[in-house]
Amino acid sequence: MSSLVNDAGAVCLVTQRSLLPMVEAVLQELATLVPQRVLLIDGAVPPWGDYAALAAAAPEIDLPDASVNADDLLTSCIPGTTGLPMGHHAAIA
């Protein structure tokens, strides 16, 4: 997990309480994350963030168009032979 989060430069991770032991085990390796940016979807557990509370407090806004173009790419991570994930790129259309 740490290689995926670090490679993405993620500043937020959305997860659930049952996966907190895994997050806690690698948190020191996650250069871009702090506990408040690890958001739990199934209830608040300090010091972790609460997804539902943030969503409820968010202002109502019109979202911009997020259309997909024929030349857009999808990147997914698949297991590599080294045990580390490797990126796989594919056209969406």
Side-chain angles (χ1 to χ4, degrees):
M1 179 176 72
S2 60
S3 63
L4 291 173
V5 173
N6 287 330
D7 287 350
V11 295
C12 180
L13 177 67
V14 180
T15 189
Q16 59 194 35
R17 290 187 287 182
S18 66
L19 297 176
L20 277 178
M22 183 184 351
V23 173
E24 290 172 326
V26 298
L27 188 61
Q28 295 298 324
E29 301 170 25
L30 305 177
T32 57
L33 284 181
V34 296
Q36 297 81 7
R37 294 292 180 127
V38 176
L39 305 178
L40 302 177
I41 61 170
D42 54 354
V45 177
W48 313 103
D50 183 354
Y51 179 86
L54 286 176
E60 294 287 329
I61 60 169
D62 291 326
L63 297 175
D65 179 33
S67 60
V68 176
N69 297 314
D71 60 348
D72 287 342
L73 291 177
L74 170 70
T75 301
S76 60
C77 293
I78 59 174
T81 56
T82 64
L84 295 175
M86 53 189 262
H88 173 73
H89 305 283
I92 291 178

